[in-house]
Amino acid sequence: MPSIPLAPLPQHLETVQTWTLDSVSELGRLRRELSEALLESHPEHAAAHGELTEGMVLVCSELATNAIKHGRPPTVVRLLSDGVYVLDVMDHDPVSIPAIARGRGAGEGGFGLVLTDMFAARVGWYSGDETKHIWASFPVDERRDDGSEG
């Protein structure tokens, strides 16, 4: 598996919702509110969103956990959208470089970035003056049961 590319956040995204986290005890609220935000942002696709939502919630939880455990507080999570969904997870440690865990067995942790790469369409990271961002994009499922062929 390749490393996460150094890449800026995709352009022209609008913020759907933002969360600020200080501890892992807040992850349950984040997962619940992200699921709700995804459903509310495109209610017309609710039936098709189940798998997308599950993958995004898992990725968000993993990235936020990494930021809380390995970065500097606070952790800020943003759900962005403009034809795609983007999760932008930032911590206040712009110096450390996100690294994919290699050679760990099941149950030893360290698979958050591996899962992110599996579920997301694109993944990237970059640092600013005060924050490090890891982002993951997901297509908005626009399959419609309108009888048209793709």
Side-chain angles (χ1 to χ4, degrees), residues 129-147:
D129 290 338
E130 297 182 14
T131 56
K132 172 180 65 249
H133 298 251
I134 299 178
W135 59 267
S137 69
F138 302 81
V140 174
D141 189 352
E142 296 198 20
R143 290 177 289 165
R144 291 183 173 90
D145 189 17
D146 60 3

Side-chain angles (χ1 to χ4, degrees), residues 100-112:
I100 296 171
R102 301 191 192 285
R104 291 186 185 169
E108 293 180 28
F111 291 101

Side-chain angles (χ1 to χ4, degrees), residues 63-96:
L63 292 178
T65 299
N66 285 350
I68 291 167
K69 288 185 174 182
H70 304 293
R72 291 193 181 128
T75 295
V76 178
V77 177
R78 296 187 304 161
L79 173 62
L80 309 163
S81 183
D82 184 21
V84 296
Y85 288 121
V86 176
L87 292 169
D88 177 31
V89 179
M90 65 189 97
D91 65 59
H92 289 79
D93 178 10
V95 177
S96 66

Side-chain angles (χ1 to χ4, degrees), residues 54-64 87 89 112 115-117 119-120 136 138:
E54 288 176 17
M56 286 184 67
V57 168
L58 174 62
V59 165
C60 187
S61 183
E62 292 290 334
L63 292 178
L87 292 169
V89 179
L115 291 170
T116 298
D117 191 57
F119 283 97
F138 302 81

